[in-house]
Amino acid sequence: MAVESSNDIYALPEDCIATALSLTSPKDVCRLSAVASTFRSASQSDAVWARFLPSDYPHIISRALDGGDSLLSKFHSKKDLYLHLCDHPLLIDDGRKSFQLEKLSGKKCYMLSARDLSIVWGDTQYWRFLSLPESRFPEVAELLDVCWFEIRGKIEMSMLSLGTNYAAYLVFTCRSMVHGFDHQSAEGYVKVSGSGSGSESEKRSVCLDPDGARRRRHQRIPRREGLFYRRLTQMRNPEAMLPDGEPEYPKQRGDGWMEVELGECFVEERQDGELEVSVMEVKGGNWKSGIIIQGIEIRPKESK
């Protein structure tokens, strides 16, 4: 039966409206629920929110520290479970990763903890692992003093949402004194490697100095002095010159930590392999200290 006017849609059965809502997005459902009481009632349906939850969410939740059974039994509706997974990162894989949903889209987000990362010299006196109450993970990694700064992480592509543009972020904070990151940018690197032919990668310059953006704005180097400094640096260490263009600077997060974007990639349909992420500063040769690593977060890239 054809719907002859806009008012006729309210006469449709609630399950039909719920089916239509499930074909939109969580953001659209929340907006449409304010249109009319019929939409509001249908927007609470499990049929709607089950569509927004990842198809493998029971398996993901089963990897939680407590096994996940208590979480599944705690919520009586799929909407409540969805919102909980958006607002409360779930620790999985023995607390070495966290899982979360992006609230507006339902896309998967992961953070690899410091313990889940490969940190060069991480098991020596140059780094130490400690607990911080503001961290979502049991332990974070504090850089005490090192000249070779290199951190790597990887995640299976099958764990991410298909058809989604992802970005990787180093999540960190710092002690009162950060040393060694103010003159030389680090390199962020994102690579997709798989069983197919070849791989794709992206490299970018990143600043790990928390005050890097402010220093850049207030930097005043006379033209001749600046040219002399650049030539002197190049003669001493040709590889230590910064890449062309502005580096990525750290930004404050809502949870009190800082993050800097390391790179991005698009997850194709049915893509195998691994997403490999790294950040390193090994060219300057100077000693570095003072930053605390919580992990590397991989989440959908916000559109500009």
Side-chain angles (χ1 to χ4, degrees), residues 41-255:
S41 178
S43 69
Q44 304 299 316
S45 170
D46 274 357
V48 173
W49 294 95
R51 188 74 176 263
F52 298 146
L53 287 166
S55 59
D56 59 347
Y57 81 88
H59 171 67
I60 296 174
I61 292 177
S62 71
R63 293 155 54 192
L65 280 175
D66 61 358
D69 291 338
S70 61
L71 181 63
L72 289 174
S73 61
K74 180 180 178 181
F75 300 101
H76 302 294
S77 74
K78 293 292 193 296
K79 180 181 180 181
D80 290 341
L81 175 60
Y82 177 92
L83 294 176
H84 179 84
L85 292 175
C86 292
D87 297 330
H88 301 86
L90 179 68
L91 295 187
I92 61 174
D93 298 347
D94 298 321
R96 299 173 72 91
K97 295 184 184 72
S98 72
F99 167 77
Q100 197 171 8
L101 294 178
E102 186 186 56
K103 183 172 288 186
L104 296 182
S105 67
K107 303 288 188 179
K108 299 175 183 177
C109 310
Y110 290 93
M111 189 186 293
L112 313 179
S113 71
R115 279 293 189 187
D116 206 40
L117 301 174
S118 173
I119 302 177
V120 172
W121 306 110
D123 57 351
T124 69
Q125 71 271 22
Y126 300 113
W127 289 82
R128 71 167 176 169
F129 286 88
L130 68 157
S131 298
L132 288 183
E134 60 267 31
S135 172
R136 69 179 62 174
F137 299 110
E139 290 183 304
V140 296
E142 180 182 8
L143 173 59
L144 300 178
D145 212 13
V146 73
C147 60
W148 186 286
F149 180 84
E150 181 176 352
I151 298 175
R152 296 181 180 273
K154 59 183 179 180
I155 188 171
E156 295 289 335
M157 296 292 289
S158 59
M159 293 173 60
L160 305 176
S161 298
L162 302 180
T164 303
N165 193 43
Y166 275 90
Y169 303 83
L170 181 71
V171 181
F172 68 102
T173 187
C174 59
R175 296 297 192 186
S176 57
M177 291 296 293
V178 179
H179 175 73
F181 291 103
D182 50 344
H183 295 303
Q184 174 67 41
S185 290
E187 289 183 351
Y189 192 69
V190 172
K191 176 182 179 181
V192 179
S193 60
S195 56
S197 57
S199 62
E200 54 185 87
S201 61
E202 180 191 3
K203 181 189 294 185
R204 64 176 60 179
S205 174
V206 298
C207 175
L208 298 182
D209 177 12
D211 294 324
R214 180 183 61 81
R215 294 178 194 275
R216 182 80 174 194
R217 287 195 302 268
H218 294 88
Q219 191 176 31
R220 294 291 184 271
I221 301 179
R223 182 178 180 86
R224 290 183 177 273
E225 181 181 344
L227 180 61
F228 172 77
Y229 175 79
R230 286 193 294 272
R231 286 179 176 174
L232 179 61
T233 302
Q234 191 172 27
M235 286 188 294
R236 288 178 175 176
N237 187 357
E239 294 186 347
M241 295 301 291
L242 298 181
D244 294 335
E246 280 284 304
E248 295 281 345
Y249 289 107
K251 297 178 181 179
Q252 196 73 30
R253 291 163 52 99
D255 59 7

